[in-house]
Amino acid sequence: MGRDDQDESGRIPRLRLDELLEELRVRIDEVRGTRDRLTGLLEAVLSVGRGLDLSQVLREIVEAAVVLVDAEYGALGVIGDDKRLSEFLPVGITDDLRAQIGDLPSGHGLLGELIRHPAPLRLPELSEHAASAGFPAHHPPMHSFLGVPIRVGNEVFGNLYLTEKRGGAEFDGEDEAVLSTLAVAAGIAIENARLFEEIRLRARWQAASADFTGALLSGSSETQVLEMMLDRARQIAGAELGLVYLAEPGGSLRCAFALGRGAEQHLGVVLPGGRGTFAWAAMSSEGGLATTPDAAGDPRVTFKPERWKGCGPTVAVLVGERERMRGVLMLARGVGRPVFTGTETAPLSGFAGQAALALELAERRRDAEQMSLLADHDRIARDLHDLAIQRLFATGMTLQSAQRFVQHPEAAERLGRAIDDLDATIKIIRSTIFGLREHEAPGAPTGLRVRAVRAAEEATSALGFAPALRMEGLIDTDVPRPVADEAVAVLGEALANVARHARATRAEVSVVAQGGTLTVTVADDGVGIAQGTDVTRSGRRSGLRNMEERALKLGGELSVAQRAAGGTSLVWRVPLG
């Protein structure tokens, strides 16, 4: 009895000791696991907190979340202004599989549940939730689910989605606590990255504005400044397409500058002043700024909507004040690109104000140059009248009085021709004086000389440079008013064609009235025309057909030819008799 009882009592303490040791080992493993998890959480918080690039911060957040809760798949969804997912960053799915699945989710089904109810959600089987809508083709199977919202201040920035805890287990309360802690740290990191991005973005806009101010003060042309502004705006905003529409008399808008993908669809297009355009959306909005997530499908765009094919998120902002609008600046991203945020669009109004300043300074510079030119006209007219004509007239009188003393017939004939030439010269000078002083006679009909100068000046903005202008003959006295009207229309149309199609850097205009014929010539150094092309019959050249019809109506002709040195020469010739 003593030996059996003694053996039994000896085994019982040893069993209890083994159980206690095993329990102690399990607890030590749990503590070690908790310590390791806390260490991992701390490392993850420090990692995402160090980043300042927003896209990189978002990627690091979801990658850290997958490791911390031992999930096979993870994703971070960014909530847009429309309460749908504007961005979706998955982890654990290969690029090939992602391409097979197709479009990324936008926030329907179970993913939208956290958008509608921003609180942690833990499920052992996600397909059993009432909001679950199933998976698209090629999507890997997923069962366990854990989601938590990410808050930036009082705003729900997005959600973390984790699925398929490894080993077939379910996500537990500790996983939820760890992920919620990471979401708090992620919110702080995102806010810091946003502030840094906003500061960096404002600095880039301010640097660009300073460059434009320097260019304006240095005397750069309006065209150079606006093109530089548009290119910088496109780069800073990350836009594939940039447009500047300038206001024209009558309320219409003409696309004077276009850079980037699809620019040829917009350049030269004239928008009506009423509804049906994205420019009108900016003009009618409070603050003079309008955005859209999809320019190609925006219902407000009914005028030539095909121009916006391939364009997605777009912003339009007024150039200048609404009461003195100079134009509209537009920036467009490709389909599928992120929409323009308030942080991105906030500096645009000030930037567009710089464009308005460029146009204002260019206009003031042109006015000053015009006043200087008119002052020169006055001085030249006075000098011609007071000096040249008087001397020529005196010389003619002297020759006439001397003519009766010349006995040789041939000498007398030559002297008579000289007197006639002096009379013709006096008429030409008087015609020139009339043209120079015509601006001083309010209400008087404007002659062809002044109208030709104005037509050339008005084309300067569209061309990007001032065309050279030469005039010969008694333009204001020999050219009838109806013929002058047609000539001015032809000159304006010809210069407009150069601006739209030629891509020229120089243009020369001549208006010559000689030998009973008025000849208007417009030559440029642009791309020229294809050999053998009948431009006056081409459907794309209706402007040239109009000019030819004007010539034929007056008994004249129109010819268009390629220049030997490159470019195109247009000659419009009509009789004056």
Side-chain angles (χ1 to χ4, degrees):
M1 161 183 172
R3 183 178 297 273
D4 292 342
D5 291 344
Q6 191 174 11
D7 292 343
E8 185 68 25
S9 63
R11 283 197 298 272
I12 291 174
R14 281 199 299 273
L15 287 173
R16 288 178 179 173
L17 181 59
D18 291 341
E19 290 174 359
L20 289 172
L21 288 173
E22 179 64 22
E23 183 178 351
L24 180 60
R25 186 186 64 79
V26 170
R27 290 184 180 274
I28 290 173
D29 289 342
E30 289 177 352
V31 170
R32 183 182 294 115
T34 302
R35 182 197 64 188
D36 292 343
R37 172 168 278 195
L38 289 176
T39 300
L41 177 59
L42 178 60
E43 291 177 350
V45 169
L46 293 175
S47 175
V48 299
R50 283 193 294 263
L52 288 176
D53 181 77
L54 184 57
S55 59
Q56 184 62 30
V57 167
L58 298 181
R59 174 62 59 179
E60 289 178 354
I61 289 170
V62 67
E63 288 175 349
V66 168
V67 173
L68 285 172
V69 299
D70 201 22
E72 188 171 351
Y73 305 107
L76 191 154
V78 180
I79 302 174
D81 294 336
D82 57 355
K83 298 303 179 183
R84 299 176 64 183
L85 295 180
S86 61
E87 292 185 64
F88 192 78
L89 289 75
V91 169
I93 296 178
T94 65
D95 292 339
D96 291 341
L97 181 57
R98 179 173 171 176
Q100 291 179 357
I101 294 174
D103 295 337
L104 295 175
S106 58
H108 298 292
L110 187 59
L111 299 185
E113 183 69 14
L114 265 72
I115 299 176
R116 294 184 291 272
H117 305 96
L121 178 63
R122 180 158 45 95
L123 301 171
E125 178 57 56
L126 60 84
S127 62
E128 295 179 357
H129 193 277
S132 178
F135 298 111
H138 308 291
H139 198 285
M142 296 180 179
H143 301 282
S144 56
F145 175 86
L146 174 60
V148 296
I150 299 175
R151 298 179 184 272
V152 177
N154 296 323
E155 168 197 1
V156 178
F157 174 83
N159 295 301
L160 276 171
Y161 306 106
L162 286 304
T163 62
E164 286 299 281
K165 187 173 179 68
R166 296 185 186 276
E170 300 177 10
F171 295 106
D172 56 25
E174 188 174 328
D175 292 326
E176 181 180 323
V178 167
L179 200 60
S180 297
T181 303
L182 178 64
V184 173
I188 297 172
I190 290 170
E191 185 172 23
N192 290 338
R194 273 181 163 182
L195 290 173
F196 178 76
E197 181 65 25
E198 183 176 349
I199 292 171
R200 186 171 62 176
L201 189 62
R202 288 187 179 276
R204 294 185 68 188
W205 286 114
Q206 288 173 359
S209 297
D211 290 343
F212 304 146
T213 302
L216 288 170
L217 295 177
S218 67
S220 297
S221 69
E222 170 189 343
T223 300
Q224 290 174 323
V225 172
L226 287 178
E227 281 187 338
M228 182 170 63
M229 292 180 74
L230 181 59
D231 188 48
R232 289 288 292 277
R234 193 168 60 93
Q235 292 176 13
I236 296 173
E240 282 85 352
L241 176 65
L243 308 170
V244 172
Y245 279 83
L246 296 181
E248 293 194 328
S252 61
L253 292 168
R254 178 180 55 82
C255 184
F257 303 95
L259 297 175
R261 188 175 64 192
E264 66 280 357
Q265 301 295 325
H266 298 265
L267 189 61
V269 171
V270 178
L271 303 180
R275 300 178 183 273
T277 68
F278 196 54
W280 173 259
M283 288 187 284
S284 58
S285 67
E286 185 176 354
L289 187 144
T291 60
T292 178
D294 179 20
D298 195 303
R300 293 172 292 183
V301 181
T302 57
F303 177 77
K304 296 184 178 181
E306 65 278 2
R307 294 176 297 121
W308 296 101
K309 183 178 180 181
C311 294
T314 303
V315 58
V317 60
L318 295 189
V319 177
E321 301 295 331
R322 195 184 306 274
E323 296 75 16
R324 189 173 170 76
M325 187 189 69
R326 297 285 185 172
V328 179
L329 168 67
M330 300 186 194
L331 300 169
R333 292 172 177 165
V335 174
R337 292 282 312 282
V339 298
F340 286 95
T341 64
T343 300
E344 292 176 307
T345 59
L348 270 180
S349 295
F351 187 80
Q354 290 289 326
L357 177 61
L359 295 171
E360 185 77 20
L361 288 179
E363 182 178 311
R364 293 291 178 264
R365 189 179 296 139
R366 284 196 301 268
D367 290 344
E369 291 172 353
Q370 182 68 16
M371 292 302 296
S372 177
L373 179 63
L374 294 177
D376 284 343
H377 285 180
D378 290 342
R379 179 182 55 78
I380 294 170
R382 285 194 303 270
D383 290 346
L384 288 174
H385 183 271
D386 297 340
L387 301 176
I389 287 185
Q390 297 302 325
R391 290 191 176 186
L392 289 173
F393 186 74
T395 301
M397 293 293 292
T398 301
L399 291 176
Q400 280 184 333
S401 63
Q403 190 175 22
R404 63 177 181 269
F405 298 109
V406 177
Q407 303 299 325
H408 195 283
E410 184 175 348
E413 181 184 355
R414 289 186 179 182
L415 190 56
R417 287 204 302 270
I419 294 172
D420 292 340
D421 288 343
L422 284 174
D423 288 340
T425 302
I426 291 172
K427 288 180 180 179
I428 291 174
I429 293 176
R430 281 178 172 162
S431 174
T432 302
I433 293 173
F434 177 77
L436 290 172
R437 288 182 167 173
E438 191 171 30
H439 66 279
E440 295 179 349
T446 307
L448 177 56
R449 187 182 300 273
V450 172
R451 296 172 70 187
V453 171
R454 289 177 181 171
E457 290 175 346
E458 290 171 357
T460 298
S461 175
L463 290 168
F465 54 85
L469 178 60
R470 179 176 62 88
M471 290 182 279
E472 294 182 17
L474 301 177
I475 294 175
D476 288 327
T477 56
D478 286 358
V479 180
R481 183 74 182 187
V483 177
D485 292 342
E486 299 290 349
V488 171
V490 166
L491 181 56
E493 185 69 41
L495 290 173
N497 277 350
V498 173
R500 291 191 192 104
H501 308 295
R503 300 201 291 275
T505 61
R506 179 177 173 79
E508 299 173 355
V509 177
S510 69
V511 181
V512 180
Q514 283 184 351
T517 301
L518 175 66
T519 304
V520 177
T521 304
V522 178
D524 65 74
D525 64 349
V527 296
I529 57 175
Q531 290 290 342
T533 302
D534 185 359
V535 292
T536 61
R537 299 293 189 269
S538 172
R540 296 185 301 110
R541 305 289 186 171
S542 59
L544 291 174
R545 285 207 309 273
N546 291 339
M547 286 186 273
E548 184 183 39
E549 290 172 359
R550 292 179 187 275
L552 294 175
K553 182 174 65 175
L554 298 173
E557 61 180 0
L558 171 73
S559 63
V560 182
Q562 187 168 358
R563 302 173 70 193
T568 305
S569 176
L570 178 147
V571 180
W572 188 83
R573 185 180 291 107
V574 295
L576 295 174

